[in-house]
Structure formats: C-alpha cells, structure tokens
C-alpha cells in the first residue's frame, strides 16, 4: 500500500484541482478547460493509434467532425437530448475509423499519413456537399447549453460532465493498452515484421486501433459540438488535425498524463499566441533590443509566434512534456546520488519514453 | 444541371489546356515534395508555403525594385535555392535523429511561420501577380486557347527536364542520387551527405518557386494561395508514387486534367466535390497499387 | 517509478491552478464594459487567413474612434460624454467555431459592453442566440443577410446595418429587366445563404427564365475553384455574367472570363466590387476590358471616385487615415466602411444617454433617426422596431476607366 501512496497522492491532487477549478476561475476559463477536456479525449484516442500502435494519423479532426455532426443532426433534427448523442457520435466515428483501418492495412508510413490527411480534407467538403442533412456551409446551430442542476451554471455543468467523461475514458484507455493487447499494439509499432512472426495479426490490431481511436475522437467531437453550440464544416479544419498531432508530440506520445499537457497546448496556443507577443516586445524594448513597432494585431504576427513556440517546444522537449518530467527526475537523481556518500553505486539507467 | 449531349470541341480544348496547366503546377510542387522525400525521407509540409514566400519575393522584385519579369524570375530561383538550402541546414538539421513525427511537426511549424511572416511583411491582401504571358488568347483553329495556360505548361516542363538532365548527366547529380540511396557508402566514397541533403532542399525550393510563380497569375498572390495547391500536390505525389519523380509529374497532370474535366462534364459534380473526388480517386488507386502508379512495391515475405 | 507519477501529476495540478486562477474575475456591478472614463466594445474579424482583407474594417473603426477620443465633442468633452471608446478586435479567421470562442472570450472574460460590426454571415449567425440570451448588443453586423433585420422581434439584441442582399439583388435585377431584357444570364454564386439570397432577389426582379446557367462554388474555396465553373458558364452562351462572390473569387472570375475570350455584360455584387478589386482584376488580366462596364450597387460614398473628390466626409476620411493610419491606401472602401459604421455607433451611444446601459444602447440603435453624412446623398437613417434596416438607400454604379460613377435614381430599399 505504501508503494502506491505517492501515486494516489498525485492523482488525488489532480482530481482535486479539476474539481476545484470552477470555484476559482472565471466563467470563460471554465469553458476553456472544458475544451481542454474534449481535446484530452481526442488525444487519448490519437495516443492509442499513434503513440501505442505507431500509425501516424493526420486526420483525427475528420473523426471529430463525424462525431460532431452526428450530435448536431440528432440533437437538432431529431430532438435527441444532447448528452445522449455523445456515445452515438463516438460510435459512428468508431465505425468509420474501423472501416478506414482496412485499406489502411495496405498502406505504410507516409502513405498512411497522407491517406489520413485526405480524410481530414474530405470530411468538411462532404459535409458541404450533403447540405440538406448537414446545413451546408452554415452548419448546424445547437441550442445554448442549459444546466439541470440548479446550483451549477451551464458552463460548470458541462465542465463536470466533460471531466467525468475524461476520467471514465482514461480508465478505459489504460485498460485497453494494458496486458496482452497492449503488448501486441506496441509490437506492431516497434517492428511489424517481428510482430507478424510472433503470430500477432496486423489486420486485427490495426483496425482495432483505428476503430477505438476514432471512437475517442468522435466522442470528443460530440462534446465539442455541445460546448461550442455549433457545428460547421470549418469547425474541424485540417489545421486542427495537425494541431492535435502537435499536441500529442508536445505532451508526449504514449504517455496519458502527457496527453493532458498536450490538450492544454491545443486549446490555449492558438488563442494566446498573439498575446504572448505584447509582453515579449515590452521586454525586448526594456532590454534595448531593437524590435521596432510591432503591433500584435498585425495580421500574420500571431502565426509567427505560434510557429516559433511550436519549434521551440520541439527543440526543448523532443519527447514532449512527459519527457521533461523524465529528464528532470534523472537530473535530480544524479544530484542526489552525488550528494549522498554511500554505496549507491552508479545511477540507475533511465528507460526511454 | 444537365449533361450536354453534344460536346463542344472548343470548350473541351479550353478545359483540357486549363486542366493541364493546373496539373503542371501541381506536378512541379509534387516533384519538389518527392525530391525532398527521396533524398531525406521527410514529408515537407512547408513546401507550398516556401513556394508562396519565394513568389512574394519575385513580386517584390518586380514591383518595388523595378526588375522586369524574367530577370526577377531567375533571381528568385537563386534566392529560393539559398533559402531551401539554408532551411535544411539550420532548421531541419538539428532534428536529424528525432522521430518521424517530430520532423513532420517541424515542417508544420515552418509552414505556420512562413505563412505568418508573409502576411506580416507584405500584408495578407490578395494582389495581382503579373506573369510574363499576355492574356490575349492564342487562336488555334478558331478556338481561343489561353496563352497563360500554354506558357505554364511549357515553363514547368522545361524546368522538370532541366532538373532531370542535371541528375542524370552531372557529377553533382550523381552524388545526390548516391547520397539518397546509400548515405553510408556514399560517405565512404567522399560524398558530403549533409551538403547533398541541403542541396536537395535547395532544388526542391526552386521547383516550388517555379510552381508558385506560374500559378500566381491565375489564383492571385496571397499568403494562403498555395495551401490548396499543396493538398493537390500531396495527392499527386502519392498517386504517382512518393519516390517517383516521373510519377509526381504524371500524377499532377492527371489530377489537374481529371478534376477539371470531371467537373465540366459530369453533371452532379459541383466544385464542392473537386477535392473529395480527387482524394477518393487517390484512395482507390492506393487500394490497388499501394505504392502509387509508378512506385516500387516492397514485398515483404514473412 | 511511483515518484514519477507523483511528480508529474503534482506539476500538472500546480500548472492547472496557476493557469486557472488569473482567469478569476471580480463580481460585476453595473453593465460590464462601461466605466467612468471608458467604454469597451469588441468585434470579431478575420485578421488572418484568406479573408483577412476584411481586417481593414477594424482598422477603419479604430481610426475613427481614435479621432473621437482625441477631439472635443459639442459638450466639450473628449470621446462620448467623456468616455474613451476602446475597441477590442478579435481574430476569428472567418471560422464560425472561432467566432463563438472569441465572442465568448469578449463577453465573459473581457466583459465588453457590446459587439460591433462582427463580420461574416455564418459567423454572426453562430453567436446571435448566445448574445441575445446574455442581452449583449450585437450591433451593425457586417453582413447583408436580410434576416439580421427581419428577425428583430425574435432577436431583439441584434441589428444589421447595410442594405440587405435581397434588395441589392432586386436593384440589379431591375437594371437587367430595364436594359438587358431578352438576354440570358450566367450566374456564379457562393454556395451559401449570401449567394442564395442575392440570386433570389435578382431573379424575382429579372425573371427566372432569364437565367441560362448557374454555377456555385464553395465558400472559402479559394481562387482555384473559380476557373472551372466560369468556363462552364461561358459555354452556356449567356451574354450577361452575374457574379455573387467575395473579393478574391470575384476578381478571379472576371479575369478568367477575360482570358477565355468571353466579353459579357458584367453584374457584380457590391462585396466584391470596390475600386481596389477592380484595379487588381485589371492589372491581372492586363486589360481594362476585363472590368470596364461592371455594374454594381452602392450605398456608401466612394472614396476613390472623382465625383466625391471634394466631399467633406471623404476629405475627413482621408485626413483621418493620414493621421491615424499612415501608410495605408486611402482609396480603399473597406476603411471607409469601418469608419462609417463606427460613426453610427457613436451616434447611437450619444443617444443612449449619459449613463448608457446595454438596454439603452440597443434602444437607441434600433430607433436611430438621423441624416448620416457617410451614406449616399447624406440620406436619412430611420430605423425602427418595425423596420430594422438602418441604411435605406442604394444606387447603381458603373466602373469605367479606373473609377466608379453612379447613375440612375437613388432607390429606397425597405
């Protein structure tokens, strides 16, 4: 029991932070963290596919869109209560993902990446083309969120619902990538040839990974539609799929807790990239660095900042935020062992991510 | 919309020429992608934005510095080479040993930065880009063929042929091919592999610049102008086989021609469906030929 | 091994709290966004991405507010009743999902008093229900979709500004019927409510039988999706070409038509027909024939037309541009559009009283009756609950040899 005490304390701290947040933060921040939760769910899925099974997907925005549209259509055109549509959205996306897994078997590496990219590109166009069901370019407007619990505002209610789903799906994902199945998935990632020689069915595990990760993305998309109360072809552009992948790498592919860091990145960077510039310019001016008169609202400047931040993150944390944790721990361990004069021996080797 | 029963030949030829011109643009950008992939095994998502950036430089040369088109064109090609070379050495090189995923994201970061930089320096408004070809159409057998379209096809093909000749007949080209196939043995033979990679990026940037400068008069110069072209270029590269230069060009031409003619002659296909259809075709082709039309299929027997 | 988890989760928890706490806001007292010395409003515009040309509207608004904040009004105070107007511009990249997020940020976090001139039909539709639920004024949206005026009873906190697309279509349709009757029209329109509504107005006046062929292109499709449809339209044999698009697509359509040797009579919707865009099309096609004769509708004074060279308002516009936005082109109508809209807001704000509330501002905006020197012939603005379309008058105008010149009578819309 004592072995697990630190872990329980850690998780407990996290859970407490999640529960307490709405009481400390303003309304908008609460909604933003609901978005973070939705992205975390999508990233769990992407982590299963890309991190654990090694199949690069540039199309997860497309699966999110499927979930979102299912929610929109069911909620608005058929009066289904919005929260009930979430599993259905996930299911629809999961089926598409599973089916996508079959042709994906024949594709490898870059071809697979580009085929998934194609998916991200096609889904919005298909949504426009079938306008009678999807509202075309105008999309579907959902009802504004309401809260069935008197004590909670709609934003807070949705926040807790979101994070409850996050917790449940986290447990599910941890179970999914554990044990024999997890080893098989990782074997597919590490060396397909060796995996097949060991009797692991590539087709079974790849399609499974696609299906499950698409299910997660679909759930995330449904949630997103409810939080944002609108679904349009432009809600999940190609740039979002790319941003998700970036979030996964930044957070640390294969590590579920890194996923949370990645989700924070996905939500906050696009909104605040431009805002970072203001203080930076002030600082530069105070340090007498000639930066000229840079107006943060000049078009293009937020993009440059965002790209630079991304590059910086990739340079500093090539294994993602989870990797930073590893490296920091390795550093503290080395310091500890140098300070303590005892028969500690050489520092234990760190396992890579 | 009704399918016309009688095909008007004049319109048909106009569509064909336009489709081929568009296809040439896709093909040259696809070739750039293939070039980088073959030499360094990196999928460069920033290829289109680099092309856009160099096209802006050409625009700036003609507008702000008084160059006429062709001198600006060639100067831009030189600048593009230097830019591509420099980016490989400075931005990509540090990630030499990083995972595939990380490198893809580095190119994506480049994509974002280049787009933002172009918008910042030159403002995001669309502007007219005056190409070297007059807008007066050719009159061939009574059919008005756009001079612009023919010129685009010509310039692109010429560039591709010149590049092919370079790789085939010069020592440097041979060294680059060697570095791509076997970096280890090449090093032993004295080839500076790192410089070969950078040169590959330089030439790819040149191809991209040609693509951009040819397409800009048609679709107007703006920081986002190459984004849809990039998507088609990827499709073309994959369609032709990601390691096949011939495939890239053929794939591009087929895509350009195919989407134009399909849209023109199949009634229910509106412009909305151009992109999905192109990609659906792509996925279909990949099902039957997983390595693309001209790709080499690696058979692994287990 | 276990300490790793503890460390990571503890860091994550701490980071979360650090990010969350600064977002906490104090309990508001009166209407948010209005203080003793300033009033804060917001707008959502595409600052980046393909439609970022429209960012100039925000620049125009800001320029005008700088002027108002610096000069002394008739009561001797700077700003409006001594309050400086602060405009926060949010980038929504023309993406409705972003519009929702940025609008929520403006309302919930930055506590703006009102939203002014948000751009994009679908974008403003997306936030309309939200803003009305929160009773935040959604003023003078930058789109001409008629429902922004028609649905005022359903959405009392939302009001449009310019003549709507149906009316613009009708005016062009009438022109067609009176001058081009018997000819056939080829229509290129955007595949959304804007395109649909405009064409509906046009055909209601011109007659549906006059249409030879219609092609649509997807919103945000970019210039590459234009040449195909234009070639198809040309093949229809029509001698009139109606273009209902946004700027890039309009320019591309005109240039493509020219390149294909097609010389129809060109009718263009006002969104894509400013002098700047016409000049761009002319440069790209290499000939004035590509754009000469373009007929469109207009409701604001034309800052590039010789006819307005000595107009007091246009001169004021140019002076303000030089002072507050140096380096920007002064013949660009989008800046003027922004300034005119900003002035409407200032007028409404004055009428909202010395201690404006959101309700009093909305009341003032919906009942605005004045002569505005910014619109055509400084005509009257008479808004009311029964007719929530502020700008009422429009006119036909034709482009020739570098500038537009109006012709025909001033037509009342609704």
């Amino acid at each position: 029991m004592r072995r697990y005490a630190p872990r329980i304390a850690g998780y407990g701290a996290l859970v407490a932070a999640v529960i307490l947040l709405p009481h400390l933060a303003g309304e908008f921040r609460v909604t933003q963290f609901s978005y973070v939760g939705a992205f975390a769910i999508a990233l769990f899925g992407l982590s299963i596919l890309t991190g654990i099974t090694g199949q690069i997907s540039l199309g997860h925005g497309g699966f999110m869109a499927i979930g979102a549209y299912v929610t929109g259509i069911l909620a608005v055109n058929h009066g289904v209560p919005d929260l009930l549509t979430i599993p259905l959205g996930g299911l629809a996306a999961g089926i598409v993902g599973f089916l996508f897994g079959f042709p994906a078997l024949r594709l490898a590496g870059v071809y697979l990446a580009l085929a998934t990219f194609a998916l991200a590109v096609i889904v919005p166009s298909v949504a426009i083309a079938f306008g009678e069901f999807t509202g075309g370019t105008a999309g579907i407007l959902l009802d504004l969120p309401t809260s069935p619990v008197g004590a909670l505002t709609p934003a807070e209610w949705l926040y807790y619902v979101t994070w409850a789903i996050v917790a449940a799906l986290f447990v599910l994902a941890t179970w999914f990538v554990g044990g024999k199945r997890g080893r098989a998935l990782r074997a597919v990632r590490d060396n397909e040839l060796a995996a097949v020689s060991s009797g692991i069915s590539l087709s079974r595990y790849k399609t499974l990974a696609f299906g499950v990760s698409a299910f997660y993305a679909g759930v995330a998309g449904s949630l997103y539609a409810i939080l944002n109360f609108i679904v349009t072809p432009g809600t999940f552009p190609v740039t979002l799929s790319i941003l998700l992948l970036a979030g996964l790498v930044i957070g640390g592919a294969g590590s579920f807790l890194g996923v949370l860091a990645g989700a924070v990145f996905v939500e906050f960077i696009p909104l605040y990239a431009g805002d970072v510039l203001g203080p930076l310019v002030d600082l530069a001016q105070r340090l007498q660095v000639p930066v000229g008169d840079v107006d943060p609202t000049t078009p293009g400047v937020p993009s440059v900042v965002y790209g630079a931040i991304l590059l910086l993150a990739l340079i500093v944390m090539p294994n993602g935020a989870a990797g930073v944790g590893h490296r920091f721990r390795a550093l503290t361990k080395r310091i500890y062992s140098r300070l303590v004069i005892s028969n500690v021996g050489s520092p234990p080797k760190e396992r890579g991510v | 919309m009704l399918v016309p029963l009688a095909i008007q030949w004049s319109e048909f030829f106009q569509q064909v020429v336009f489709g081929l011109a568009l296809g040439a643009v896709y093909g040259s950008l696809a070739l750039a992608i293939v070039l980088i992939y073959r030499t360094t095994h990196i999928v460069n998502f920033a290829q289109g934005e680099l092309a856009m950036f160099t096209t802006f430089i050409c625009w700036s040369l003609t507008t702000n510095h008084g160059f006429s088109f062709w001198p600006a064109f060639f100067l831009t090609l030189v600048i593009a080479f230097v830019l591509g070379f420099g980016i490989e050495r400075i931005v990509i090189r540090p990630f030499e040993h990083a995972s595939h995923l990380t490198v893809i994201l580095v190119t994506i970061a480049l994509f974002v930065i280049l787009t933002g930089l172009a918008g910042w320096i030159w403002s995001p408004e669309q502007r007219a880009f005056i190409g070297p070809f007059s807008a007066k159409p050719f009159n061939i057998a009574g059919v008005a063929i756009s001079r612009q379209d023919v010129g685009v096809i010509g310039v692109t093909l010429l560039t591709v042929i010149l590049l092919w000749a370079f790789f085939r007949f010069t020592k440097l080209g041979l060294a680059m091919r060697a570095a791509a196939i076997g970096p280890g043995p090449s090093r032993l033979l004295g080839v500076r592999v790192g410089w070969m990679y950078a040169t590959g990026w330089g030439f790819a940037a040149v191809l991209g610049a040609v693509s951009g400068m040819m397409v800009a008069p048609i679709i107007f110069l703006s920081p986002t102008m190459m984004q849809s072209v990039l998507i088609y270029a990827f499709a073309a590269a994959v369609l032709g086989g990601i390691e096949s230069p011939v495939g890239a060009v053929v794939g591009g031409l087929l895509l350009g021609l195919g989407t134009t003619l399909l849209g023109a002659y199949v009634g229910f296909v509106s412009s909305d469906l151009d992109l999905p259809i192109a990609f659906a075709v792509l996925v279909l082709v990949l099902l039957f030929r997983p390595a693309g039309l001209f790709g080499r299929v690696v058979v692994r027997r287990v | 091994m276990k300490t790793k988890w503890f460390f990571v989760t503890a860091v994550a928890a701490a980071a979360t709290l650090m990010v969350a706490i600064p977002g906490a806001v104090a309990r508001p007292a009166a209407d948010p966004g209005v203080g003793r010395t300033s009033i804060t409003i917001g707008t959502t515009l595409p600052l980046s991405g393909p439609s970022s040309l429209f960012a100039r509207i925000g620049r125009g608004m800001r320029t005008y507010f700088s002027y108002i904040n610096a000069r002394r009004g008739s009561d001797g105070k700077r700003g409006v009743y001594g309050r400086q107007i602060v405009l926060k511009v949010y980038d929504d990249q023309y993406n409705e999902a972003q519009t929702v997020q940025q609008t929520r940020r403006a309302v919930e976090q930055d506590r703006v008093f009102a939203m002014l001139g948000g751009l994009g039909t679908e974008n403003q539709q997306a936030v309309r229900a939200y803003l009305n639920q929160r009773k935040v004024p959604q003023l003078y949206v930058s789109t001409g979709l008629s429902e922004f005026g028609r649905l005022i009873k359903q959405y009392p906190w939302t009001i449009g500004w310019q003549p709507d697309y149906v009316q613009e279509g009708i005016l062009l349709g009438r022109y067609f019927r009176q001058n081009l009757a018997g000819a056939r029209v080829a229509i290129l329109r955007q595949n959304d409510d804007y395109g649909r509504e405009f064409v509906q107005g046009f055909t209601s006046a011109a007659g549906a039988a006059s249409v030879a062929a219609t092609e649509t292109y997807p919103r945000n499709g970019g210039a590459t999706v234009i040449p195909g449809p234009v070639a198809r339209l040309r093949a229809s044999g029509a001698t009139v070409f109606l273009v209902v698009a946004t700027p890039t697509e309009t320019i591309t359509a005109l240039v493509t038509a020219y390149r294909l040797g097609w010389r129809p009579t060109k009718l263009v919707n006002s969104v894509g027909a400013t002098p700047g865009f016409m000049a761009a099309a002319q440069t790209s096609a290499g000939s004035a024939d590509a754009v000469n004769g373009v007929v469109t509708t207009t409701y604001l004074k034309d800052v590039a037309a010789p006819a307005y060279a000595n107009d007091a308002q246009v001169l004021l516009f140019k002076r303000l541009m030089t002072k507050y936005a140096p380096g920007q082109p002064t013949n660009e109508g989008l800046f003027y559009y922004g300034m005119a809209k900003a002035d409407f807001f200032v007028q409404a704000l004055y009428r909202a009283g010395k201690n404006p509330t959101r309700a009093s501002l909305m009341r003032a905006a919906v009942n605005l009756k004045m002569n505005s020197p910014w619109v055509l012939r400084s005509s009257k603005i008479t808004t009311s609950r029964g007719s929530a379309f502020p700008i009422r008058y429009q006119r036909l105008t034709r482009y020739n040899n570098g500038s537009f010149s109006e012709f025909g009578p001033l037509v009342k819309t609704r």
Side-chain angles (χ1 to χ4, degrees), chain B residues 18 124-126 135 220 263 271-272, chain C residues 52 56 191 218 227 232 248 251 285:
Chain B
F18 177 71
E125 61 191 62
Q126 281 88 15
F220 290 82
S271 315
D272 295 341
Chain C
S52 49
R56 293 175 156 182
N191 189 11
R232 291 197 284 279
T248 324
I251 299 174

Side-chain angles (χ1 to χ4, degrees), chain A residues 41 60-75 80-98 123 142 165 169 210-226 231 236:
Chain A
I41 295 172
H60 257 54
F63 293 123
M64 285 183 80
I66 293 175
Y69 267 104
V70 166
T71 291
I73 293 173
L74 288 178
V80 178
D82 43 11
L83 293 179
L84 275 181
T85 64
I86 296 179
L88 295 171
L91 200 61
I95 292 175
V96 173
F98 183 75
V123 171
L142 285 80
I165 298 178
L169 288 182
F210 260 104
V212 169
S213 82
F215 169 79
Y216 270 75
V219 168
S222 290
L223 253 178
Y224 194 89
I226 295 174
V231 190
F236 302 102

Side-chain angles (χ1 to χ4, degrees), chain C residues 167-189:
Chain C
Q167 295 298 316
E168 290 190 318
I170 290 177
L171 186 54
L172 272 185
R174 263 194 232 142
Y175 170 78
F176 173 87
R177 204 182 56 217
Q178 284 159 4
N179 298 285
L180 302 164
R184 312 264 276 135
V185 184
I187 303 179
L188 176 71
R189 70 162 174 84

Side-chain angles (χ1 to χ4, degrees), chain C residues 63-286:
Chain C
T63 306
Y64 191 73
F65 289 140
S66 302
Y67 158 68
I68 294 288
N69 289 339
R71 108 278 176 249
R72 290 192 191 276
S74 51
D75 59 349
K77 300 220 182 102
R78 300 194 206 272
V80 174
Y81 291 132
R83 290 191 183 88
Q84 299 277 292
I85 302 178
V86 176
L87 174 70
K88 293 185 111 121
V89 180
Y90 299 90
D91 182 10
D92 69 352
Q93 299 174 337
Y94 211 46
N95 178 345
E96 301 78 41
Q98 285 296 319
T99 312
V100 168
Q101 288 214 25
Q102 296 287 24
T103 305
R104 285 171 95 166
R105 183 174 161 202
V107 169
E108 295 169 24
Q109 185 178 70
D110 298 338
R111 328 270 318 165
V112 298
F113 185 58
M115 297 296 290
L116 173 67
L119 185 116
T121 307
E122 286 83 2
N123 308 66
Q124 292 305 300
Q125 282 174 321
V127 295
R128 181 174 49 193
Y130 170 80
L131 289 170
N132 274 269
Q133 186 199 53
R134 296 205 171 222
K135 304 192 167 48
V136 177
Q138 186 183 19
L139 292 179
Y140 302 139
V141 287
S142 299
T143 156
L145 200 67
S146 61
E147 60 178 52
F148 284 103
R150 281 186 294 113
L151 299 183
I152 187 116
K153 298 221 169 56
Q154 201 175 330
Y155 297 106
W157 295 87
T158 303
I159 188 168
W161 187 64
Q162 61 215 55
D164 60 271
Y165 297 134
V166 178
Q167 295 298 316
E168 290 190 318
I170 290 177
L171 186 54
L172 272 185
R174 263 194 232 142
Y175 170 78
F176 173 87
R177 204 182 56 217
Q178 284 159 4
N179 298 285
L180 302 164
R184 312 264 276 135
V185 184
I187 303 179
L188 176 71
R189 70 162 174 84
Q190 187 155 284
N191 189 11
D192 65 356
D193 284 344
Y194 152 53
R196 263 187 293 270
E197 195 165 90
F198 189 97
V199 171
Q200 180 198 329
F202 179 83
T203 48
S204 75
S210 59
V211 178
T214 307
E215 289 282 338
T216 65
Y217 71 89
R219 177 171 174 254
N220 282 333
T224 38
V225 299
I226 301 296
V230 172
R232 291 197 284 279
L233 288 172
R234 180 186 188 280
S236 72
T239 52
V240 179
F241 185 22
L242 172 64
V243 181
V244 187
T246 40
T248 324
E249 290 87 0
T250 305
I251 299 174
T252 312
L254 293 174
V255 173
T256 309
Y258 180 79
R259 284 214 184 100
L260 292 175
W262 189 22
R263 304 278 183 272
T265 310
K266 298 172 277 284
L267 306 176
V268 178
N269 167 259
S270 65
V271 168
T274 70
F277 304 149
M278 294 295 107
Q282 179 170 329
T283 317
S284 184

Side-chain angles (χ1 to χ4, degrees), chain C residues 295-360:
Chain C
V295 174
T296 184
T297 63
T298 181
Y299 48 89
L300 293 176
K301 294 180 180 173
D302 182 353
V303 298
Y308 287 104
N310 292 316
D311 179 275
Q313 219 56 29
V314 172
L315 288 174
L316 172 66
F317 163 81
K318 293 195 170 151
R319 239 178 19 245
L320 295 183
M321 285 295 290
T322 318
K323 179 156 187 211
Y324 294 106
Q328 298 292 333
T330 53
N331 64 343
E332 172 54 77
L334 286 175
F335 294 116
Y336 184 88
Y337 179 98
M339 270 203 216
K341 189 166 289 194
D343 183 58
F344 270 62
F345 174 76
V346 166
Q347 302 305 324
L349 189 57
Y350 268 115
R351 286 163 177 73
K354 289 229 169 82
N355 290 306
T357 63
R358 282 172 170 166
S360 72

Side-chain angles (χ1 to χ4, degrees), chain A residues 319-343:
Chain A
N319 287 326
V324 172
H326 279 268
R327 298 217 307 258
F328 187 76
R329 227 203 113 229
L331 179 65
T332 49
K333 258 199 161 169
R334 274 202 288 280
I335 295 176
Y336 174 78
S337 66
R338 295 245 154 94
L339 289 176
V340 173
I341 308 163
S342 67
N343 50 338

